[in-house]
Amino acid sequence: MAKWTTANIPDQTGRVTVITGANTGLGYETALALAGHGAHVVLAVRNLDKGKDAAARIAATSPKGEVTLQELDLTSLESIRAAADQLRSGYDRIDLLINNAGVMWTSKSTTKDGFELQFGTNHLGHFALTGLLLDRLLPVAGSRVVTVSSIGHRIRADIHFDDLQWERRYNRVAAYGQAKLANLLFTYELQRRLAPHGTTIAAAAHPGGSSTELTRHLPGLLAPVYGLLEPLIAQDAATGALPQLRAATDPGVLGGQYYGPNGFAETRGHPKVVTSSAKSHDVDRQRRLWAVSEELTGVVYPID
């Protein structure tokens, strides 16, 4: 299927979908498309005012779907646990969890629990949320966990187990690379652990180059350069959301697959299965990161 679009999304009526960071950018476009195909979409957002505005806009154009809000701050394990408790109380099943929210190239800072901000938000926050919601996904045949990575998982990227929180040194690009590589290591290890259960799969996606708020933390010298290049390398958020939408809804998706744009250097285009770096497929890295993530978050998954 060379040009997969939102027209290819199957009917989502009756499916409960939780999307992190869904009030803007890729998350908003993903929620809009799924609600338009009948899904019950939960916008898991930090800013409830922005979330209410997003929910109203989606509801106005998607009469088939239903949109609700869930407060979620991925920089706080307390908030993640509270959100998971509320979601588990409100829904006896979750068909789809899309780990979409993220930050990129931030100056050195930490989450409320002391984790480096990019690693803590992009990986540890989603690791904890997924583990706390997994018992609502496991009983549902065809349920999925889709985690959004990035081309950045190849750029100066490794898992620095000797300094995961970048306390001895800090490079914002390398720290982003670590976080996005962690998203893929997590996806592949999660899929291996889910496979024996036969109900839920884990997949990943990346948007290529997309015009979203993610670039708001660009360093001062890079911002004007990116402004000149953006029309050449970036696509709009609706197109950038297609890979995660395909990973979330295409009946042919297999566990452990990774979707991205089909254009030059995967920067733009329609979604297809793409490859990730050799490091992302390193089983030792996957298992070690999983063990460390359980230790740091205190979240132990209810699967072997």
Side-chain angles (χ1 to χ4, degrees), residues 8 69-70 100 117 137 164 291 298:
N8 297 109
L69 283 180
Q70 174 59 57
N100 162 83
L117 185 61
L137 287 146
L164 280 174

Side-chain angles (χ1 to χ4, degrees), residues 6 9 11 13 21 50 60 77 85 116 125 134-135 161 183 210 226 239 251 268 281 295 301:
T6 55
I9 297 175
D11 181 35
T13 301
K50 290 183 178 179
L77 288 173
D85 285 344
E116 186 276 315
L134 198 59
D135 67 347
F161 288 106
N183 289 151
S210 297
Y226 182 80
T239 307
R268 53 199 301 160
H281 291 285
E295 179 182 349
Y301 277 53

Side-chain angles (χ1 to χ4, degrees), residues 124-147:
L124 290 175
H126 284 126
F127 178 92
L129 180 67
T130 304
L132 292 168
L133 294 180
L134 198 59
D135 67 347
R136 290 295 185 266
L137 287 146
L138 279 175
V140 183
S143 56
R144 298 184 189 184
V145 177
V146 175
T147 300

Side-chain angles (χ1 to χ4, degrees), residues 5-296:
T5 71
T6 55
N8 297 109
I9 297 175
D11 181 35
Q12 299 294 296
T13 301
R15 300 192 82 205
V16 176
T17 299
V18 178
I19 308 173
T20 67
N23 61 291
T24 188
L26 302 175
Y28 173 82
E29 296 295 341
T30 299
L32 180 65
L34 292 174
H37 285 78
H40 178 134
V41 178
V42 181
L43 311 183
V45 300
R46 184 173 59 179
N47 188 314
L48 286 180
D49 288 334
K50 290 183 178 179
K52 289 176 183 176
D53 177 66
R57 286 185 284 129
I58 293 171
T61 59
S62 306
K64 288 177 57 181
E66 184 177 354
V67 186
T68 56
L69 283 180
Q70 174 59 57
E71 186 173 14
L72 171 68
D73 181 355
L74 286 167
T75 71
S76 164
L77 288 173
E78 181 181 6
S79 174
I80 293 167
R81 289 185 179 276
D85 285 344
Q86 291 166 16
L87 288 166
R88 293 176 74 256
S89 296
Y91 303 95
D92 58 7
R93 62 177 285 159
I94 295 174
D95 298 81
L96 177 60
L97 171 62
I98 302 181
N99 294 321
N100 162 83
V103 292
M104 182 177 79
W105 292 4
T106 56
S107 57
K108 187 175 182 179
S109 53
T110 62
T111 69
K112 295 176 177 63
D113 301 288
F115 307 133
E116 186 276 315
L117 185 61
Q118 298 184 83
F119 184 68
T121 303
N122 298 352
H123 169 61
L124 290 175
H126 284 126
F127 178 92
L129 180 67
T130 304
L132 292 168
L133 294 180
L134 198 59
D135 67 347
R136 290 295 185 266
L137 287 146
L138 279 175
V140 183
S143 56
R144 298 184 189 184
V145 177
V146 175
T147 300
V148 180
S149 185
S150 167
I151 293 173
H153 89 275
R154 297 179 181 275
I155 303 173
R156 303 193 63 181
D158 204 349
I159 306 299
H160 300 272
F161 288 106
D162 62 334
D163 189 20
L164 280 174
Q165 312 308 334
W166 299 83
E167 295 168 324
R168 295 200 299 269
R169 62 196 186 282
Y170 184 72
N171 179 283
R172 65 177 75 199
V173 175
Y176 181 67
Q178 172 178 264
K180 293 286 102 180
L181 175 59
N183 289 151
L184 288 166
L185 292 166
F186 162 64
T187 296
Y188 299 148
E189 181 64 18
L190 177 59
Q191 173 57 31
R192 181 162 39 249
R193 292 169 183 247
L194 287 172
H197 297 268
T199 54
T200 307
I201 64 171
H206 80 81
S210 297
S211 298
T212 70
E213 292 183 3
L214 195 64
T215 58
R216 63 186 180 276
H217 296 295
L218 285 176
L221 292 176
L222 281 180
V225 176
Y226 182 80
L228 293 173
L229 293 176
E230 186 175 24
L232 301 176
I233 63 174
Q235 54 196 359
D236 60 59
T239 307
L242 290 178
Q244 62 201 61
L245 280 165
R246 184 169 188 181
T249 65
D250 189 332
V253 171
L254 302 176
Q257 285 186 324
Y258 181 38
Y259 284 81
N262 64 359
F264 175 74
E266 298 175 18
T267 56
R268 53 199 301 160
H270 293 268
K272 68 170 186 177
V273 176
V274 295
T275 59
S276 59
S277 69
K279 287 179 182 177
S280 72
H281 291 285
D282 184 317
V283 174
D284 288 339
R285 277 188 178 88
Q286 293 166 8
R287 291 175 174 167
R288 188 177 178 187
L289 177 65
W290 188 280
V292 169
S293 300
E294 286 192 330
E295 179 182 349
L296 291 174

